Amino acid sequence: MSFQPVFAEFWEKVTESITNKTLAKLTLAKTIGDTELKNIYVRPVLLENDVLKLSVIARYKTEEIESFHSLEEAFFVLAPYMNNPFLTAILFTTENDFTFKLNKKRVGTIIEQAPTFKNASDVILEMKEKGI
């Protein structure tokens, strides 16, 4: 069974956290083996004309590469990294933390926990203030 439907469900929670202005950050971590790519961090950013994009920072052993994507584009950018090389994605919101995990059989599950962050990201707070 593919883990992708569960990852799509997880991504709905990412979308909801942006809509509800509760997103703190999103991290892809826990690689399979020793890989060049160590983590991917995703944070919201406001570009010119208050356009919301997601900053995707891929952290490698020797460098970091940042790219900017719409919410929809970010899903297609990040999804291929699940299971190759990452086994975990963690969504931090002010209401709950959601962890998408792949087990040894590559079955995806979502675990909900108490929130780590009390405040949403600065950009989300700015969007709230501006009424975006």
Side-chain angles (χ1 to χ4, degrees):
M1 184 176 138
S2 172
F3 63 85
Q4 290 168 335
V6 181
F7 187 71
E9 183 183 330
F10 174 80
W11 195 257
E12 285 177 30
K13 296 191 181 304
V14 174
T15 303
E16 286 172 22
S17 72
I18 291 172
T19 303
N20 298 337
K21 309 284 191 279
T22 62
L23 175 72
K25 70 177 183 174
L26 172 66
T27 303
L28 273 62
K30 193 172 182 195
T31 60
I32 303 165
D34 184 26
T35 60
E36 280 295 310
L37 182 58
K38 293 299 178 189
N39 307 82
I40 294 179
Y41 300 104
V42 180
R43 291 189 171 86
V45 292
L46 279 177
L47 300 180
E48 293 175 22
N49 302 325
D50 292 333
V51 175
L52 176 73
K53 293 283 187 173
L54 295 178
S55 162
V56 177
I57 300 172
R59 183 168 287 159
Y60 294 86
K61 284 182 179 178
T62 57
E63 65 179 336
E64 287 184 7
I65 299 173
E66 183 175 24
S67 58
F68 299 94
H69 305 279
S70 69
L71 183 61
E72 187 177 312
E73 291 168 348
F75 173 79
F76 293 106
V77 168
L78 297 173
Y81 289 105
M82 292 311 304
N83 192 35
N84 186 22
F86 298 107
L87 296 176
T88 304
I90 307 168
L91 170 64
F92 297 96
T93 75
T94 57
E95 295 174 348
N96 291 298
D97 290 351
F98 298 96
T99 304
F100 171 80
K101 281 187 171 183
L102 291 174
N103 66 14
K104 288 180 182 177
K105 294 183 179 182
R106 301 306 185 252
V107 175
T109 57
I110 298 174
I111 300 163
E112 191 173 329
Q113 296 173 296
T116 302
F117 293 94
K118 295 195 181 342
N119 296 314
S121 78
D122 292 343
V123 170
I124 295 292
L125 294 174
E126 183 181 340
M127 287 172 60
K128 252 186 199 178
E129 282 177 22
K130 291 182 175 183
I132 300 173

